[in-house]
Amino acid sequence: MIEQLLKGYCRFVRYSVKLVGRAVPVLLPILAGLVAFEVFARYVLGTPTIWVYDTSLFLFGYISALGGAYAQQKKSHINVDIVYLMVPKYVRCIFNVLTIILAVGFLVLLAKMSFEKFSESLQFGYRTKSEWSPEVYHFWLMMTVSAVIFIAEYSAELIENIYYLFTRRALFSKEELAADAAKKPVLAILRSLHLTGLSVFLTDFFQKSQSRGEANDYLNFDEVLDKHHQEVELEDAEKLAKDEKEIESEDAEILTKDQEKKGSEYAN
Amino acid sequence: MQIELLTTILLVCILVAFALGAQVGLALAGIAMGVGYLVWGDALFNVIPSTVEGTFFNFILLAIPLYIYMGQILTRSGIGDAMFNASQLVIGRVRGSLAISVVGVCSMIGAMVGIIGAGIMTSSSIALKPMLERGYDKRLALGVIMAGGSLGILIPPSIPMIMFAAATQNSVGRMFLAAMIPALITIVLIISYVVITCKLNPAKAPLDVENDIQVPKGYELFKTIRDGFSSFLLIVAVLGSIIMGIATPTESGAIGVVGAIILAILFKRFKPSIMMKAGLQTSILVSVAMWIILGASVFSNFHLLMGVQSMVAGFATGLDVPPIVVIIMFQVIMLLLGFIIDEFIIVLMCAPIFTPVAVALGYDPIWFGVLMILNIVIAVQTPPYGFALFYLKGIAPKGITMMDIYKSVTPFILVQFLVLIICMLFPDLVLWLPNKVMS
């Protein structure tokens, strides 16, 4: 039960972070195009723009701040791993917990200060100190959001590490991780919410409240959840089998077509 | 609290956090805020928003995503291979020609990628296989890849140089120009080392003729020349637009991106999947860089607020030694730092503290910056713990021990060390070009 909840939470966080991280690069070509357009406007059109400077800086902020959590998920952030790689996995988890607490400490401050800045700039209408001077409140909101999703990513990692420390086994097996990595984030977020067992929990709860008087048998809950999972997996397996069948039949068709073609060529 | 005591506490905390494998940027910021809260209370937290503004509303740093994006598009669309093949056409008959091309091309690629680790990875993916296939000595092959890949940060456009310029309020263009001559000297010295060692020991680098490898002909030949030449042209255009004053370094990065996309389309190498991957990789690298810059800036802003600058300055002048000794001392500190941390952090931590002292001693900040970059190039590949060594180990074929790698990089480190000393003794080598062009 608890394990399922933890897994569901970790998956939900992981996919949300992945979704944001995958969406951010879309801004890159726009950023490059804008800055290049500025040069074009200055030399070819003869009128430098006033809005490119601020817009490109905002885009830069969005790209670099929002991508931080996904980079953490990908383990791309730089760390010094001379000692880290020499110690056993158990000790490594302790290290992780300590460093995560340190990092989250700063991120919480960052989120708090950014949110204060956000409400301030909304209230007083702060603007950038440039010619165009657009409002800045959305930038601070974005900083708050990036700090929060960074914290969320760390919280999921914290759970995985602490789980390992208590049980001496990983929360997610390697196969599960590989399977998760292949899923599309948007659908997976919904599914992970579903799999936290919330929906099952609720239906179960209502059923129980209807048939009051029966023993509050919470062991029952695990069974329900297990059954539900089996159903989901079964569905998946059926789908997969169906897909494979379709592909096979398509392949067969193509093959026969090819053979027919060859046959007709020979005939000619 | 005394600034000396505070600095000691901060350093101890940093060492512990780094040993635990913390994410460096956030750890630096976390330590600064934690220790700062104990000293100053929560008024200190106002450093955070102002640092965020200074980091993200910074048109100089905006060059980072653009250069990385350009490098990603170029290397992923196979332009690196094109340059490599084209350079083989030119010097294919010289013994050790492959190794020479690797130094040239990999330093270009390293420059485009802008980060040492990525530079070494990209270079090796292009150049390691051809060298080993043709029977080159493994140590020579690994050594030149390391030298070429790490030289990347010395050749403009270079991300650490942009960081230095942003951290010390210097001109990026001047910085780029100043690094040109030292970079050229290093490349020439490394190439002459390769030529001499191959002459002395021909078995290290068999000639193509001995291997029956044919020079491409007809359309293939034309394609190789066209690809190599136009990629070279793009680099010249990017650097040229900065030097001629047509565009700021940031804008020339954007020109480079557009140029790289146009080249990829022209050469029929443009695929949406390449753009997707380049974009994703770029955004990850950029957020890694920017979160480190943010964290390190929070740290150094706090540290500067506490008055570390006057401490270092007081210490340096109080020593009563010739100024050059102070400079050498800084170099040794940075060299030691390079054993454990990567180029970004060294620049971000040392530049704001050391540069004002160097200026106060009467030195040019640009000269000091170039020395710093040269120093970092050496530091990250110095045995036993230079972190670039581990990248090299990661890409090396099986059977290569750490000892082999130490031996393979040693001659190149000595060459680069020589250049550092030359530049230290003759500041004019560094300053002549920027003064001439941008005075």
Side-chain angles (χ1 to χ4, degrees):
Chain A
M1 163 67 196
I2 289 178
E3 192 182 314
Q4 286 304 329
L5 265 177
L6 291 180
K7 269 190 174 179
Y9 174 75
C10 289
R11 282 206 169 105
F12 174 67
V13 167
R14 207 189 293 149
Y15 290 124
S16 313
V17 168
K18 190 175 174 184
L19 184 67
V20 176
R22 288 289 171 102
V24 162
V26 177
L27 300 175
L28 265 173
I30 304 175
L31 171 65
L34 274 184
V35 181
F37 174 75
E38 169 70 28
V39 182
F40 180 76
R42 193 164 62 219
Y43 287 102
V44 183
L45 304 181
T47 46
T49 62
I50 55 165
W51 51 273
V52 164
Y53 181 82
D54 295 293
T55 318
S56 55
L57 280 178
F58 279 137
L59 279 176
F60 172 47
Y62 275 69
I63 292 170
S64 42
L66 284 171
Y70 188 54
Q72 173 61 31
Q73 191 179 87
K74 288 274 207 177
K75 300 275 175 287
S76 299
H77 282 296
I78 295 167
N79 58 351
V80 184
D81 47 13
I82 300 168
V83 182
Y84 186 80
L85 290 180
M86 287 193 293
V87 297
K89 171 117 206 247
Y90 181 71
V91 184
R92 233 180 265 176
C93 281
I94 300 178
F95 281 14
N96 285 344
V97 171
L98 292 175
T99 55
I100 287 172
I101 290 171
L102 182 63
V104 168
F106 171 68
L107 286 170
V108 168
L109 276 179
L110 180 64
K112 181 174 160 279
M113 299 308 290
S114 300
F115 188 75
E116 276 173 18
K117 251 329 215 197
F118 163 66
S119 42
E120 239 178 73
S121 32
L122 206 57
Q123 199 180 345
F124 301 110
Y126 285 163
R127 292 166 179 278
T128 60
K129 293 176 199 117
S130 62
E131 218 181 330
W132 188 42
S133 73
E135 297 213 52
V136 292
Y137 65 89
H138 62 95
F139 175 82
W140 289 110
L141 181 63
M142 182 279 297
M143 273 316 287
T144 318
V145 171
S146 358
V148 167
I149 57 173
F150 215 144
I151 294 171
E153 171 63 28
Y154 269 129
S155 72
E157 285 181 19
L158 193 65
I159 287 173
E160 285 176 43
N161 280 301
I162 291 180
Y163 185 86
Y164 184 88
L165 285 179
F166 276 105
T167 62
R168 296 296 174 100
R169 60 197 170 82
L171 185 56
F172 292 98
S173 68
K174 271 183 189 156
E175 293 78 33
E176 275 177 310
L177 284 178
D180 285 355
K183 283 178 192 154
K184 291 255 182 285
V186 182
L187 292 175
I189 289 176
L190 297 176
R191 170 159 283 191
S192 63
L193 268 182
H194 186 56
L195 280 187
T196 46
L198 270 180
S199 53
V200 183
F201 181 76
L202 288 178
T203 46
D204 192 46
F205 181 76
F206 282 123
Q207 275 170 7
K208 282 231 175 81
S209 61
Q210 276 169 3
S211 56
R212 247 174 237 164
E214 282 177 31
N216 257 348
D217 187 5
Y218 270 92
L219 280 176
N220 197 20
F221 178 76
D222 277 349
E223 275 170 29
V224 177
L225 199 65
D226 275 350
K227 207 174 157 195
H228 178 75
H229 279 177
Q230 276 168 8
E231 275 168 16
V232 172
E233 270 166 25
L234 213 67
E235 262 174 38
D236 278 0
E238 271 173 15
K239 236 188 212 165
L240 210 70
K242 214 173 152 192
D243 281 358
E244 269 177 9
K245 249 184 206 163
E246 270 176 21
I247 290 170
E248 267 173 23
S249 63
E250 269 175 26
D251 279 357
E253 262 176 38
I254 292 170
L255 212 69
T256 48
K257 261 186 198 166
D258 274 5
Q259 277 169 352
E260 275 169 18
K261 216 178 181 182
K262 261 188 199 159
S264 62
E265 272 172 13
Y266 277 124
N268 287 340
Chain B
M1 195 189 287
Q2 290 285 306
I3 177 73
E4 287 84 2
L5 180 62
L6 185 75
T7 307
T8 321
I9 294 174
L10 284 173
L11 280 180
V12 171
C13 289
I14 291 175
L15 281 180
V16 172
F18 280 9
L20 296 180
Q23 200 259 72
V24 279
L26 293 178
L28 281 173
I31 289 169
M33 289 299 108
V35 175
Y37 179 71
L38 297 177
V39 182
W40 259 27
D42 52 7
L44 178 78
F45 298 154
N46 288 320
V47 167
I48 297 177
S50 62
T51 311
V52 169
E53 267 176 16
T55 317
F56 290 104
F57 292 137
N58 189 327
F59 203 66
I60 298 177
L61 291 179
L62 177 55
I64 294 175
L66 297 173
Y67 282 129
I68 296 182
Y69 197 34
M70 173 181 87
Q72 286 288 334
I73 295 174
L74 281 181
T75 45
R76 273 169 203 274
S77 61
I79 300 231
D81 294 295
M83 284 167 70
F84 189 62
N85 292 337
S87 69
Q88 272 305 290
L89 277 183
V90 183
I91 52 166
R93 294 182 179 282
V94 183
R95 190 173 286 281
S97 64
L98 264 181
I100 297 170
S101 317
V102 170
V103 174
V105 174
C106 290
S107 49
M108 287 287 188
I109 291 170
M112 292 189 291
V113 178
I115 301 164
I116 291 180
I120 291 173
M121 296 297 215
T122 324
S123 307
S124 67
S125 67
I126 294 169
L128 188 61
K129 208 169 147 231
M131 279 200 284
L132 294 182
E133 269 174 3
R134 291 176 205 193
Y136 271 58
D137 181 47
K138 276 180 196 157
R139 278 186 205 157
L140 180 68
L142 287 173
V144 287
I145 284 180
M146 176 75 128
S150 54
L151 256 184
I153 64 162
L154 188 59
I155 296 170
S158 132
I159 308 290
M161 279 191 216
I162 297 173
M163 288 181 175
F164 180 86
T168 60
Q169 271 106 41
N170 277 301
S171 143
V172 180
R174 271 179 76 88
M175 190 79 196
F176 280 0
L177 278 173
M180 291 248 198
I181 291 182
L184 210 64
I185 298 176
T186 320
I187 292 178
V188 169
L189 282 180
I190 288 179
I191 289 179
S192 15
Y193 166 77
V194 172
V195 170
I196 293 169
T197 182
C198 292
K199 270 264 152 48
L200 293 179
N201 191 354
K204 269 188 173 176
L207 278 174
D208 271 3
V209 189
E210 293 161 18
N211 275 335
D212 279 345
I213 290 171
Q214 296 294 318
V215 180
K217 286 200 180 77
Y219 182 64
E220 280 298 309
L221 179 69
F222 165 71
K223 230 171 104 179
T224 314
I225 294 174
R226 181 198 65 183
D227 291 9
F229 185 69
S230 36
S231 13
F232 182 68
L233 213 63
L234 181 67
I235 292 172
V236 171
V238 168
L239 289 184
S241 60
I242 304 176
I243 295 167
M244 308 264 289
I246 297 174
T248 63
T250 306
E251 288 168 347
S252 79
I255 297 174
V257 172
V258 174
I261 294 177
I262 292 175
L263 278 189
I265 293 174
L266 279 184
F267 298 164
K268 301 201 175 73
R269 291 204 174 104
F270 186 86
K271 282 185 213 134
S273 66
I274 287 180
M275 287 298 289
M276 289 278 288
K277 274 185 195 152
L280 191 62
Q281 194 56 37
T282 309
S283 76
I284 287 179
L285 285 175
V286 171
S287 28
V288 168
M290 287 308 292
W291 278 93
I292 288 180
I293 294 179
L294 178 64
S297 308
V298 168
F299 178 84
S300 70
N301 280 353
F302 161 69
H303 208 185
L304 292 177
L305 212 63
M306 294 321 236
V308 66
Q309 212 162 319
S310 55
M311 178 193 91
V312 175
F315 181 69
T317 46
L319 272 181
D320 199 26
V321 289
I324 191 75
V325 177
V326 178
I327 298 286
I328 292 173
M329 230 168 56
F330 287 164
Q331 301 295 329
V332 173
I333 293 174
M334 287 189 279
L335 208 60
L336 293 177
L337 281 177
F339 288 168
I340 51 166
I341 53 183
D342 85 312
E343 73 260 25
F344 287 2
I345 321 280
I346 304 180
V347 170
L348 290 168
M349 276 174 50
C350 297
I353 298 175
F354 289 172
T355 316
V357 178
V359 173
L361 290 172
Y363 291 106
D364 193 302
I366 296 283
W367 170 74
F368 189 69
V370 172
L371 285 191
M372 186 180 260
I373 302 286
L374 273 169
N375 196 320
I376 292 169
V377 173
I378 299 166
V380 296
Q381 42 180 325
T382 306
Y385 281 132
F387 77 90
L389 295 165
F390 296 95
Y391 283 111
L392 199 64
K393 180 82 170 69
I395 53 133
K398 275 186 186 148
I400 296 278
T401 62
M402 214 56 202
M403 204 36 104
D404 286 331
I405 288 180
Y406 291 164
K407 280 180 188 157
S408 69
V409 296
T410 309
F412 298 99
I413 294 176
L414 290 179
V415 168
Q416 284 157 349
F417 200 66
L418 186 69
V419 178
L420 176 66
I421 292 174
I422 293 175
C423 289
M424 210 187 269
L425 292 180
F426 305 103
D428 280 343
L429 275 179
V430 179
L431 296 173
W432 176 76
L433 192 61
N435 287 342
K436 186 101 182 159
V437 178
M438 301 182 78
S439 61

